[in-house]
């Protein structure tokens, strides 16, 4: 292993496209949407649209910064430059923690499905097997990660496309034995918002977290052959992905079935497939959900390891984690993520209702923290650019108005988590964890100030963005030059 070797640039455009899609389509769409529909009725479509709009704005802001300066550390490195080293340190560790916790959640979910199919093997054995499989995939090469994610995402996309086609045909009355529902299910069971606007607003808090993961594409772009083009395509496709995959499929569910149906609450997609008369609906959905779980495990391990690698390169994590294998993989960071992931899986079986639940709750609001940091960083870096902003290859719409709108929306969601009893504990624990991490970051950089430069160990990976939005190579750019460019206002750090 070599500390001075660069990450492999072997992700193809097709990999990045599917990674971007996979980041949006999670198991929560197939399983968790039932509870959201039960809470808000057909009005949940408004909640999905509102949450999706926030994500679209955040991705556009992140895309602006990533297209100008593709970084493996993504928003963590941009927070470094906009708010100070303490900010990049804090949000980087919080983000890595989120995905490490996800490993425990998803491995257990996947193991539960496998145990249903093969009950003779204990569930914990399946969880262990899934973790080992995806660890080996990530250790092999970044291309193997990309290939696995490509096929996982392809299965999810194919499933949703077929669901949409059958759904539209059923709504139009083209499927024998399934009468066209018209608007009856949308407005005939207590109205479009049967539980009132308040339930729809609360529904936003339920569904907004299902969109988290779209930002993975900007992290993976740093290991692609053409990162700038990859970022631009991923960000621009966010709009139609959310409209088609989320709002489109949920619209079919609430149009074809009564929102208050028990089958919708249990599994809305299985209920619709059974309506079509397709045998084995539960098994089909189990396969799709297992694919989503494996995709999330794969991406979670990849994302956590790359963030730990970036933190190590900047001197904010153990130096050993910046070692890169001969295949261009940060293997030490992958193993570090895996070890903690195994611990969380174990805790889920040993103490699921105490320790593991506590750990899960500490990560509950991290998505909103990340989005808020992205928005604030973009606001600061874009203003710092001045006239140079005209050369950006990808720009935030209606800056700064939509940036401020996104910031206000995210703050409103955090306030909503305080008001809503079901999310209050998660917010409090997440804030407590964030306070500890931020405190460590501030203490660590108190002597250097908010504008501390990147440590020498991280100089090679912290490549500054060049004037006119062109990305310079990372090699040979030292921290002093980085600081001089920033001071001169010549950097396009948006």
């Amino acid at each position: 292993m070599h500390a001075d070797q660069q990450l492999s640039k072997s992700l193809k455009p097709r990999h990045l496209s599917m990674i971007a899609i996979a980041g949006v389509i999670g198991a929560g769409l197939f399983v968790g949407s039932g509870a959201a529909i039960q809470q808000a009725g057909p009005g949940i479509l408004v909640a999905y649209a509102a949450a999706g709009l926030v994500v679209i704005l955040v991705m556009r802001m992140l895309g602006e910064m990533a297209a100008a300066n593709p970084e493996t550390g993504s928003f963590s490195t941009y927070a470094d430059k906009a708010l100070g080293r303490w900010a990049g340190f804090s949000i980087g560790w919080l983000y890595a923690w989120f995905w490490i916790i996800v490993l425990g959640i998803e491995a257990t979910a996947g193991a539960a499905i496998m145990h249903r199919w093969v009950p003779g093997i204990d569930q914990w054995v399946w969880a262990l097997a899934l973790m080992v499989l995806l660890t080996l995939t990530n250790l092999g090469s970044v291309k193997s990660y990309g290939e696995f994610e490509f096929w996982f995402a392809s299965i999810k996309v194919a499933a949703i496309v077929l669901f949409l086609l059958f759904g539209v045909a059923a709504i139009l009355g083209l499927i024998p034995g399934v009468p066209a529902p018209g608007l009856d299910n949308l407005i005939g069971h207590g109205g479009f918002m049967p539980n009132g606007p308040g339930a729809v607003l609360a529904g936003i808090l339920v569904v907004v977290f299902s969109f988290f993961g779209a930002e993975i594409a900007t992290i993976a772009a740093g290991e692609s052959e053409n990162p700038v083009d990859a970022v631009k395509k991923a960000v621009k496709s966010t709009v139609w992905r959310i409209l088609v995959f989320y709002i489109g499929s949920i619209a079919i569910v609430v149009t074809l079935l009564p929102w208050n149906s028990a089958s919708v609450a249990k599994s809305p997609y299985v209920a619709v497939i059974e309506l079509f008369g397709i045998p084995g609906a539960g098994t089909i959905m189990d396969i799709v959900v297992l694919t989503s779980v494996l995709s999330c495990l794969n991406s979670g391990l990849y994302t956590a390891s790359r963030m730990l690698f970036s933190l190590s390169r900047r001197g904010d994590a153990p130096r050993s984690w910046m070692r890169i294998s001969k295949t261009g993989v940060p293997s030490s960071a992958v193993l570090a993520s895996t070890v903690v992931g195994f611990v969380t899986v174990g805790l889920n079986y040993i103490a699921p209702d105490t320790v593991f639940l506590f750990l899960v709750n500490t990560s509950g609001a991290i998505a909103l923290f990340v989005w808020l940091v992205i928005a604030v960083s973009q606001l600061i870096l874009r203003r710092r650019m001045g006239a140079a902003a005209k050369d950006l290859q990808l720009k935030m719409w209606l800056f700064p108005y939509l940036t401020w709108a996104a910031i206000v929306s995210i703050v409103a969601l955090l306030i909503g988590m305080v008001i809503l009893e079901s999310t209050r504990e998660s917010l409090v624990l997440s804030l407590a964890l964030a306070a500890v991490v931020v405190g460590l970051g501030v203490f660590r950089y108190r002597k250097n100030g908010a504008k501390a430069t990147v440590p020498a160990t991280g100089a090679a990976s912290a490549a500054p963005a060049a004037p006119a939005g062109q990305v310079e190579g990372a090699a040979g750019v030292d921290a002093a030059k980085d600081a001089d460019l920033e001071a001169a206002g010549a950097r396009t750090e948006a």
Side-chain angles (χ1 to χ4, degrees):
M1 298 183 184
H2 306 280
D4 57 348
Q5 192 173 339
Q6 294 298 309
L7 292 175
S8 172
K9 304 287 185 181
S10 54
L11 288 178
K12 307 291 184 184
R14 65 182 178 90
H15 295 147
L16 266 295
S17 297
M18 282 301 180
I19 288 170
I21 292 173
V24 172
I25 307 173
L29 171 63
F30 302 109
V31 181
S33 55
I37 293 171
Q38 287 285 294
Q39 179 176 348
I44 196 64
L45 288 171
V46 177
Y48 271 103
L53 179 59
V54 173
V55 176
I56 288 169
L57 294 178
V58 169
M59 282 299 293
R60 186 75 183 189
M61 289 183 279
L62 180 57
E64 180 184 289
M65 295 185 286
N69 190 7
E71 295 262 12
T72 299
S74 188
F75 50 83
S76 175
T77 58
Y78 309 142
D80 264 1
K81 298 165 186 174
L83 299 167
R85 294 300 314 286
W86 66 270
F89 170 92
S90 303
I91 204 64
W93 274 105
L94 288 172
Y95 188 71
W97 173 249
F98 174 89
W99 284 108
I100 287 171
I101 292 297
V102 165
L103 296 180
I105 297 171
E106 299 297 335
T108 303
I113 295 174
M114 297 300 296
H115 183 64
R116 283 203 299 271
W117 292 346
V118 189
I121 299 178
D122 289 342
Q123 190 169 321
W124 71 268
V125 177
W126 283 119
L128 179 65
L130 293 178
M131 284 288 292
V132 170
L133 171 65
L134 274 305
T135 299
L136 293 175
T137 300
N138 275 267
L139 284 174
S141 68
V142 68
K143 187 176 181 180
S144 65
Y145 156 74
E147 284 296 332
F148 266 73
E149 202 58 26
F150 176 82
W151 291 109
F152 288 153
S154 296
I155 293 172
K156 290 191 288 186
V157 170
I160 291 185
V161 168
L162 288 173
F163 183 85
L164 291 171
L165 291 176
F166 274 98
V168 171
I171 290 172
L172 296 176
L174 301 179
I175 295 183
V178 182
L183 299 178
D184 183 58
N185 291 322
L186 289 173
I187 60 176
H189 298 271
F192 186 68
M193 296 183 184
N195 297 324
V200 174
L201 292 175
I204 297 176
L205 284 172
V206 175
V207 306
V208 70
F209 298 103
S210 61
F211 290 113
F212 198 51
E215 72 290 335
I216 293 174
T218 66
I219 294 174
E223 293 177 76
S224 67
E225 296 170 335
N226 193 334
V228 176
D229 284 348
V231 166
K232 289 165 66 176
K233 289 178 181 178
V235 171
K236 289 179 179 179
S237 65
T238 300
V239 177
W240 69 261
R241 283 187 276 126
I242 289 176
L243 286 175
V244 173
F245 294 134
Y246 270 90
I247 300 176
S249 59
I250 295 297
I252 284 174
V253 171
V254 296
T255 302
L256 289 176
L257 296 171
W259 66 271
N260 52 1
S261 166
S263 59
V264 170
K266 183 178 179 182
S267 182
Y269 289 81
V270 170
V272 172
I273 294 173
E274 289 176 342
L275 179 68
F276 297 155
I278 299 175
T283 302
I284 292 172
M285 191 49 56
D286 270 350
I287 294 172
V288 174
V289 172
L290 179 61
T291 302
S292 295
V293 165
L294 293 175
S295 172
C296 197
L297 261 176
N298 196 36
S299 290
L301 185 52
Y302 171 85
T303 307
S305 65
R306 267 42 176 196
M307 188 57 74
L308 292 180
F309 167 79
S310 176
L311 288 167
S312 178
R313 277 287 179 97
R314 285 177 278 153
D316 291 335
R319 288 175 57 87
S320 60
W321 294 356
M322 64 186 282
R323 293 173 185 162
I324 299 176
S325 69
K326 292 180 180 179
T327 57
V329 172
S331 50
S332 296
V334 171
L335 290 173
S337 303
T338 303
V339 168
V340 182
F342 278 127
V343 171
T344 59
V345 171
L347 288 172
N348 198 9
Y349 289 101
I350 297 171
D353 298 324
T354 53
V355 180
F356 184 73
L357 182 61
F358 173 80
L359 295 179
V360 169
N361 281 333
T362 63
S363 67
I366 287 177
L368 295 180
F369 299 162
V370 169
W371 292 344
L372 188 60
V373 166
I374 290 172
V376 173
S377 296
Q378 189 267 341
L379 181 69
I380 293 172
L381 294 177
R382 178 70 174 270
R383 284 181 169 172
R384 193 178 295 170
M385 289 178 62
K390 69 180 186 299
D391 296 319
L392 285 171
Q393 296 190 39
L394 188 70
K395 293 182 180 180
M396 176 60 180
W397 305 296
L398 297 176
F399 178 83
Y401 306 109
L402 287 184
T403 297
W404 275 112
I407 291 172
V408 170
S409 299
I410 296 167
V411 172
L413 288 171
L414 288 169
I415 294 172
M417 288 189 72
V418 176
I419 297 172
L420 200 63
E421 186 176 353
S422 60
T423 57
R424 191 177 303 144
E425 181 182 1
S426 181
L427 176 64
V428 170
L429 291 176
S430 297
L431 284 173
L433 176 64
V436 171
V437 177
V438 169
L440 290 173
V442 172
F443 177 78
R444 179 179 177 82
Y445 292 105
R446 68 193 186 285
K447 293 181 180 179
N448 297 328
K451 294 295 181 182
T453 56
V454 178
T457 57
S461 68
Q470 300 300 311
V471 181
E472 295 179 355
V477 182
D478 58 25
K481 180 180 177 182
D482 186 15
D484 291 341
L485 284 171
E486 184 174 8
R491 304 182 56 177
T492 55
E493 305 170 303

